[in-house]
Amino acid sequence: MANLTYNTLLEAEAKKRKWTPEQVATFEEWRNNVGLMESNNKPSVKQKGGGPGRGKYQYEISEGGSGANKSAVNRFEQYLKNNNLSIADLPTEDQLELLSSDPDFSKLSPETQDMIFLADKAVAKESKLDDLVTGKISQDEAWAKWHWKGKEEDVQSKLNQWQRNVASVAPQQTPAPVKKPVPKQESLDALINQEYNNTVFPVKETYRQEGFQLANPLLYPGYEP
């Protein structure tokens, strides 16, 4: 793996797991929805009220929080090592933050945050990504169990929140175009005759533009095929 980018990591993970393009798309949809739930997909967000959550996916810092940031960084380093890569392949600013005593993910570049999220979920034992992309576990449940990890009594309210938030930004389906029935030959001839009688343009140009073929060109003086 030559370049350290989110796409190269995702491609390598998908190849290793033998994911189909549709399954890759499912993972990407879930990742985007997790970002939506945690921060409205804003990489520089810090939890309101001075809480410990930081960045696009709101990984908590150690000071006053769970220290999920350190666990994620450790998994990220392990993941990179397994792919013959290292943190040294990241931008300098990201390297320095990840090597600090309590990394603040809101200070990392968006792509590095995405890479850490992928690595964290790929390495963590509880995150069964193959079950996610094959539909054995729903996206909201996977978020609650693998990322949010709050109190059991609060799970249902969080699942309800997921349904509200994700549904509110779901892409609207574009109605399929109505297919017009192909006219029978006699109807087509009648339409051509009507258009010919009403047209003020040269017959040759009119019918070439419309794509019609006259049933009997000899009936229309001036028509040239």
Side-chain angles (χ1 to χ4, degrees), residues 51-54 59-71 100-105:
R54 297 287 188 274
Y59 280 96
E60 293 187 358
I61 57 177
S62 297
E63 184 178 353
S66 66
N69 58 342
K70 290 185 177 180
S71 298
S100 67
S101 60
D102 200 8
D104 181 341
F105 284 15

Side-chain angles (χ1 to χ4, degrees), residues 143-206:
W143 165 68
K145 288 183 175 181
W146 305 344
H147 193 78
W148 175 67
K149 300 179 182 179
K151 296 179 180 179
E152 185 65 29
E153 58 265 29
D154 296 330
V155 169
Q156 189 55 54
S157 65
K158 285 295 182 180
L159 296 179
N160 294 339
Q161 182 185 354
W162 173 285
Q163 295 301 326
R164 291 193 303 271
N165 290 7
V166 171
S168 69
V169 297
Q172 300 297 316
Q173 294 294 327
T174 303
V178 178
K179 293 184 179 180
K180 296 181 180 180
V182 178
K184 295 181 179 179
Q185 184 60 47
E186 56 267 23
S187 299
L188 184 59
D189 288 345
L191 176 63
I192 292 172
N193 292 340
Q194 181 181 4
E195 288 200 358
Y196 176 78
N197 292 332
N198 294 335
T199 187
V200 294
F201 299 102
V203 177
K204 173 181 176 181
E205 294 301 323
T206 300

Side-chain angles (χ1 to χ4, degrees), residues 96-177:
L96 294 174
E97 188 60 40
L98 292 177
L99 292 172
S100 67
S101 60
D102 200 8
D104 181 341
F105 284 15
S106 68
K107 297 179 181 179
L108 299 174
S109 65
E111 184 164 31
T112 293
Q113 292 188 46
D114 291 342
M115 286 191 282
I116 291 174
F117 181 85
L118 170 61
D120 179 38
K121 303 315 176 197
V123 174
K125 293 181 179 179
E126 71 268 17
S127 304
K128 301 184 185 302
L129 296 182
D130 292 336
D131 287 351
L132 171 71
V133 301
T134 56
K136 292 181 180 179
I137 184 172
S138 63
Q139 290 193 24
D140 54 352
E141 187 179 358
W143 165 68
K145 288 183 175 181
W146 305 344
H147 193 78
W148 175 67
K149 300 179 182 179
K151 296 179 180 179
E152 185 65 29
E153 58 265 29
D154 296 330
V155 169
Q156 189 55 54
S157 65
K158 285 295 182 180
L159 296 179
N160 294 339
Q161 182 185 354
W162 173 285
Q163 295 301 326
R164 291 193 303 271
N165 290 7
V166 171
S168 69
V169 297
Q172 300 297 316
Q173 294 294 327
T174 303

